[in-house]
Amino acid sequence: MPPDWTRVGGYGAAALCAVYGSMKLAQALGANALADKDPLSPELHERLVARDPLFVASHWVLAGVAVVGVVVALATVRPWGVAVPRRLLLALAWAAGIFMIARSVGVVGFGFVPDALRLAGVVEVPAEHAALARELALWDLLLWSPFFLLWGTCWTTAAVRLRRVS
């Protein structure tokens, strides 16, 4: 029997959750780990770099959510996943996939479209923050948006497979 390539979505989502969670855990523990490249407003960016307690707490929460994401993603492809209600798995996989794809496109503020508009000068940025805005838009355009697009595609592939085999 040929391998089921649709399982790649679940394993890919789990792997990307682990990568993202590891980065957030490293940030929670004090490492930079690309924290200064997060696309945020200048005020929030300063708070992030200064290790504001709210951001440190958010890194711990996101690391925990990523662990849950690994388990959910693996539940879509592993035999023990049948113990988890299918509707719950489907809802979580679809929600994660749609949110991440929307984030990569720019529906939630940053993404391919807003970054391109910022870099093209269509979206005005205060002069005192222009260099930072350009740098963060480049990082988002070249790293974060493709990462979230891939991650969202993995989640939606896992959801499609799960719906098909249910």
Side-chain angles (χ1 to χ4, degrees):
M1 182 173 188
D4 181 6
W5 289 104
T6 62
R7 297 170 70 88
V8 170
Y11 288 117
L16 293 170
C17 283
V19 167
Y20 188 78
S22 297
M23 181 187 66
K24 290 301 178 184
L25 177 62
Q27 290 172 351
L29 294 171
N32 182 3
L34 296 172
D36 62 336
K37 305 303 182 213
D38 279 356
L40 298 168
S41 68
E43 300 80 26
L44 291 177
H45 188 263
E46 288 175 19
R47 289 177 58 195
L48 173 70
V49 174
R51 299 203 34 83
D52 181 286
L54 178 66
F55 280 98
V56 174
S58 74
H59 293 320
W60 283 108
V61 169
L62 289 172
V65 170
V67 170
V68 172
V70 169
V71 173
V72 170
L74 290 176
T76 67
V77 291
R78 301 300 302 160
W80 52 263
V82 298
V84 181
R86 283 288 181 241
R87 287 185 182 184
L88 176 62
L89 280 179
L90 277 168
L92 292 172
W94 278 117
I98 290 167
F99 172 77
M100 291 178 186
I101 290 170
R103 188 270 180 232
S104 74
V105 172
V107 175
V108 294
F110 284 91
F112 291 119
V113 174
D115 292 335
L117 292 174
R118 261 185 217 95
L119 291 171
V122 175
V123 174
E124 292 295 323
V125 178
E128 66 270 14
H129 301 299
L132 177 63
R134 181 173 173 73
E135 177 186 354
L136 295 179
L138 277 170
W139 273 98
D140 191 63
L141 189 64
L142 299 174
L143 175 65
W144 298 120
S145 291
F147 179 84
F148 278 99
L149 180 61
L150 176 62
W151 200 3
T153 302
C154 287
W155 275 114
T156 55
T157 303
V160 167
R161 179 193 178 276
L162 186 63
R163 195 175 118 236
R164 193 184 72 212
V165 298
S166 294

